[in-house]
Amino acid sequence: MSSPGDGAAAGPDLDRPLPLYPLVYLEEGDEVTVGRLDTDSYAVFPADGAQLLRSLADGVPPREVARSYEAANGESIDMLDLLSTLDDLGFVRAASDPAPAASAAPVRWQRLGQAVFSRPALACYLLIAVLGTVETIRVPQLAPRPGDLFFTSYFSLIELTLYLGQIPFLLVHEGFHALAGRRLGIPSKLRISHRLMFVVLETSLDGLVAVPRRKRYLPILAGMLADVLVAALLTLAADATRSADGALPFAGRLCLALAYATLLRLVWQAFLYLRTDVYVLLCTFLHCQDLHGTAGGLLRNAVRRVLGRPLLDESAWHPSDRRAARWYVWLMVAGYALTLVLFAEVALPVGYRIVAGVFDRFTEHARLGPLLDSTLLLALTVGQLLAAGVIAVRDRRRARPPAPVTVLG
């Protein structure tokens, strides 16, 4: 760690105040989350460690802080190690860095977020959801079913619609997450990732760990709220296109196809092993840190006991994770079971219908239009799988620890 005073490599001067960036503190029981909102760098400290950090932030020299801690607790503290940790977290401000502003700049679109999630707006959302549900019950033709996906006989158009047509709704989903966070003054980042073989968008809201737990629920649930609204609006739009005899034109069938795909995204939230919004909600409510990893370790140890193999080390598991994992294991297994059910009830019939149709076209010498449609469908499918594979490789490389650097002189 460089010296806080002059940036030299000799080490910090323990008799001079340590310049720190503005930090936020969130006390939760015996733990305190400390971090920088401007860089989304956070760490969890024990209560006495957070008090040490507060003293350093108030300008008390590190050596004096260490003496006060030893006098109060009867044990010494490795101050150099603590300062090195703070430097790694980016909490320490170098002398060459500009002094932080007296008050942080407001987050962009904070007022928009406050308007989107105001009480009148939430009341409107509830009304739309109720109207969509009532109309679906009143008109059975609007009820979601796998056949809604086949709004046209052109398979490539179906696939293009389900992927390209869902992009605006995915942006609405993630936009609701972002705005719900920004209304609290939390910045957000949108990134492209993958789940299994699917390319997905994700909103990063790391700053949520620095706000009271009760304020985190709306940003977590906001994406699912957006999906409910989109599905309801699309259903109402399809209903508006019905003719006097109840027939649905192309536009109505298209709306139902998009609504069905949006509802599938809601069901997707039950796949807890994919770290969905529902999983994040559970972890937040239960004060967990790595619930899924702990539950997976619990399952592996159960198998290892049966096989007589050495058990995994459980000492690093957080107590909250350990308590919740005993019953979360069953939710995790239920998520896998639901995946198989949806595969059998939706993916398999839809996939069979498309594959059988493509096979018939190629073997029965169909007209040029259907042949081109089937060829484009195959290209789109392979392209999506390749894109998901490339993103998976990218994410794996980013997660890999950096290799040591060898300097040749």
Side-chain angles (χ1 to χ4, degrees):
M1 175 179 170
S2 61
S3 172
D6 55 17
D13 186 348
L14 300 182
D15 295 312
R16 298 176 60 185
L18 184 71
L20 296 174
Y21 287 99
L23 302 174
V24 294
Y25 301 83
L26 177 65
E27 298 182 9
E28 294 184 304
D30 296 331
E31 296 178 338
V32 181
T33 300
V34 184
R36 287 178 57 185
L37 286 175
D38 57 332
T39 61
D40 277 342
S41 177
Y42 303 94
V44 178
F45 289 81
D48 55 354
Q51 185 56 46
L52 283 175
L53 192 49
R54 290 180 188 271
S55 298
L56 293 172
D58 289 339
V60 182
R63 195 184 305 277
E64 185 177 337
V65 171
R67 288 171 180 167
S68 299
Y69 179 85
E70 184 173 359
N73 297 278
E75 58 181 357
S76 60
I77 181 173
D78 188 342
M79 182 57 71
L80 288 176
D81 181 63
L82 174 62
L83 298 187
S84 177
T85 299
L86 298 180
D87 194 43
D88 291 340
L89 290 169
F91 292 176
V92 180
R93 179 171 58 87
S96 58
D97 291 343
S103 59
V107 176
R108 291 181 62 187
W109 303 327
Q110 184 170 3
R111 289 186 178 179
L112 176 60
Q114 292 169 347
V116 169
F117 293 99
S118 62
R119 289 186 177 179
L122 292 174
C124 290
Y125 303 155
L126 177 61
L127 177 62
I128 291 171
V130 170
L131 289 176
T133 303
V134 169
E135 199 63 14
T136 300
I137 296 173
R138 191 181 72 84
V139 183
Q141 186 181 4
L142 301 176
R145 55 179 62 86
D148 291 339
L149 299 176
F150 296 93
F151 62 94
T152 177
S153 59
Y154 289 95
F155 297 143
S156 60
L157 181 57
I158 293 174
E159 181 154 356
L160 281 172
T161 300
L162 293 181
Y163 290 104
L164 298 182
Q166 280 291 311
I167 289 178
F169 305 134
L170 287 172
L171 291 175
V172 171
H173 176 106
E174 300 304 331
F176 263 51
H177 279 307
L179 288 175
R182 285 175 180 263
R183 62 185 270 277
L184 301 174
I186 299 170
S188 57
K189 298 176 183 177
L190 182 66
R191 59 172 178 249
I192 300 176
S193 185
H194 71 99
R195 290 289 186 272
L196 298 178
M197 76 274 308
F198 302 106
V199 179
V200 298
L201 299 176
E202 292 180 339
T203 299
S204 173
L205 286 171
D206 296 337
L208 279 181
V209 300
V211 301
R213 197 170 298 272
R214 60 183 176 81
K215 294 185 178 180
R216 302 178 198 174
Y217 297 122
L218 181 56
I220 293 171
L221 293 170
M224 287 186 284
L225 170 61
D227 290 340
V228 171
L229 288 176
V230 166
L233 288 171
L234 287 169
T235 300
L236 293 173
D239 186 47
T241 66
R242 283 192 307 127
S243 61
D245 60 357
L248 281 173
F250 177 83
R253 297 197 304 273
L254 175 60
C255 287
L256 286 185
L258 292 172
Y260 185 78
T262 303
L263 290 174
L264 285 181
R265 228 178 22 249
L266 274 174
V267 177
W268 170 288
Q269 298 294 337
F271 303 163
L272 300 181
Y273 59 90
L274 294 177
R275 313 298 207 279
T276 61
D277 295 345
V278 173
Y279 170 78
V280 176
L281 180 69
L282 271 176
C283 288
T284 302
F285 181 74
L286 298 171
H287 298 214
C288 292
Q289 297 184 1
D290 184 17
L291 179 57
H292 188 84
T294 302
L298 202 65
L299 274 178
R300 286 191 290 274
N301 273 349
V303 174
R304 286 171 176 265
R305 286 190 185 92
V306 174
L307 299 178
R309 298 176 60 184
L311 301 181
L312 301 174
D313 182 18
E314 301 182 1
S315 60
W317 293 353
H318 193 275
S320 297
D321 290 332
R322 187 191 298 272
R323 288 192 298 270
R326 293 186 175 89
W327 57 264
Y328 172 79
V329 166
W330 300 107
L331 285 182
M332 187 170 65
V333 172
Y336 285 113
L338 181 59
T339 303
L340 295 176
V341 170
L342 281 183
F343 178 79
E345 294 293 329
V346 179
L348 201 58
V350 171
Y352 174 78
R353 181 170 171 178
I354 292 177
V355 171
V358 171
F359 181 79
D360 290 342
R361 289 176 178 179
F362 279 114
T363 57
E364 295 180 1
H365 305 289
R367 290 179 292 108
L368 180 60
L371 284 177
L372 291 176
D373 172 54
S374 298
T375 304
L376 179 58
L377 171 69
L378 294 175
L380 290 171
T381 303
V382 173
Q384 181 204 350
L385 295 176
L386 288 176
V390 169
I391 293 173
V393 171
R394 181 206 65 182
D395 291 347
R396 184 179 295 273
R397 286 177 177 174
R398 288 181 178 178
R400 188 179 303 165
V405 177
T406 302
V407 179
L408 301 178

